[in-house]
Amino acid sequence: QVQLVESGGGLVQAGGSLRLSCVASGSIFGINYMGWYRQAPGKQRDLVASITSGSSTNYADSVKGRFTISRTRDSVMYLQMNSLKPGDTAVYYCNAMRLSIPYWGKGTLVTVSS
C-alpha cells in the first residue's frame, strides 16, 4: 500500500504562485510514476504534470511554461505553480503508480481569484 498526502493549496490572486507537496509513505519502493491531476467543479479529473522514476516529465499544454514538477529521492513530489490563472482553480490530486496499481491522495484545493 502507498499513502499519499498533499499540502500547499490555498487562495491566491491571479499572477501569484503556490507550491504543492505530496508525501508518499508505505511501500514506496517501486513507485515508477507520480503525477499531479486536477478536477474543477463539474469537470473530469485531468493530468496536470507527471514525472517518472527516470525523471522524464510531461505537462498539460495549459500549464507548460508556468508549472514545474519535481521529485526527491524520498518520494516527495512538488508542483511549483507560477503565473496562476483563475482557470487553474481546482482540487489538485497526487497520484502514484506502483506495480501498475494507482494510488491517490485526498486532494488539496487551489483557488485563484481574479
Side-chain angles (χ1 to χ4, degrees):
Q1 292 288 332
V2 176
Q3 294 79 45
L4 302 171
V5 178
E6 305 98 334
S7 63
L11 174 64
V12 64
Q13 288 188 333
S17 298
L18 283 175
R19 188 176 81 156
L20 304 183
S21 301
C22 172
V23 178
S25 61
S27 300
I28 63 174
F29 180 78
I31 293 176
N32 57 7
Y33 168 99
M34 295 186 77
W36 288 99
Y37 291 73
R38 67 186 181 187
Q39 187 167 19
K43 296 188 177 181
Q44 67 181 21
R45 189 175 298 187
D46 291 325
L47 174 69
V48 176
S50 64
I51 187 166
T52 68
S53 56
S55 298
S56 295
T57 59
N58 182 46
Y59 294 91
D61 287 343
S62 59
V63 306
K64 283 181 180 177
R66 300 189 297 123
F67 291 10
T68 303
I69 190 171
S70 61
R71 177 183 172 186
T72 71
R73 291 184 178 181
D74 296 329
S75 292
V76 179
M77 180 176 64
Y78 301 99
L79 185 68
Q80 178 66 43
M81 305 187 294
N82 299 326
S83 302
L84 282 161
K85 305 175 181 179
D88 296 319
T89 295
V91 177
Y92 285 70
Y93 296 92
C94 175
N95 169 266
M97 292 288 292
R98 180 181 181 273
L99 301 178
S100 300
I101 298 173
Y103 297 89
W104 293 93
K106 294 183 178 180
T108 184
L109 176 63
V110 172
T111 303
V112 184
S113 63
S114 57

